[in-house]
Amino acid sequence: MASRHEDFLAAGGRIFGIVVDSPAQNSALIQKLSLPFPILSDPDRGEAISPMGYSNATDPRNIALPGTVIIGTDGADAFRWESRDFADRIPEDDVIAALERIGGPATSQEPPTLGPAEPGPKALPFEQMGPYFRGARFAAQALGLRHKDAYPDIKDDSKAYIAEMDRYLAAYNALKESRANKT
């Protein structure tokens, strides 16, 4: 979403992430990925995640399900998407199309204000993200080919996940190049 932030703003939307991680972990992630939007902390899932219906009680890691909510000017949900599991993400184009259907005016968003940053104990270093995304893409492709007859829907899921990894790799490579040009 960071690489498409200007498109979201042009379509009338502002981005706010809400996760179970601590504010220090969120600051570290914002810095690592140069995110132009804030990530809010809801560690017990009680302030926003559960009330909005994105609590994942079946996951032992106590995480939230990914989801997207567009709140209209009247305060009501104008669009809602809920993932099936932690790896399921909505394509950015789908969110931008929903914003365009709502028809709000273009907007702006202040960059996040960061506090102390402390990556979580399992945080993936930036340099390892490219190989991780390439590996995830390859695994999805292999599983899609392996199970296409036994599970007819796996082909579509595999294609969607591969497309997601392609978007992540493109964003990673653009950020990596941007950083290289600054030095």
Side-chain angles (χ1 to χ4, degrees), residues 31 61-62 64 100 122 163:
Q31 287 177 357
R61 295 170 297 169
N62 197 32
E100 289 171 344
K122 296 181 181 180

Side-chain angles (χ1 to χ4, degrees), residues 5 9 14-16 35-38 107-113:
H5 190 246
L9 296 174
R14 293 183 186 138
I15 300 172
F16 300 89
L35 298 179
F37 54 84
T107 189
S108 61
Q109 185 170 22
E110 293 294 320
T113 302

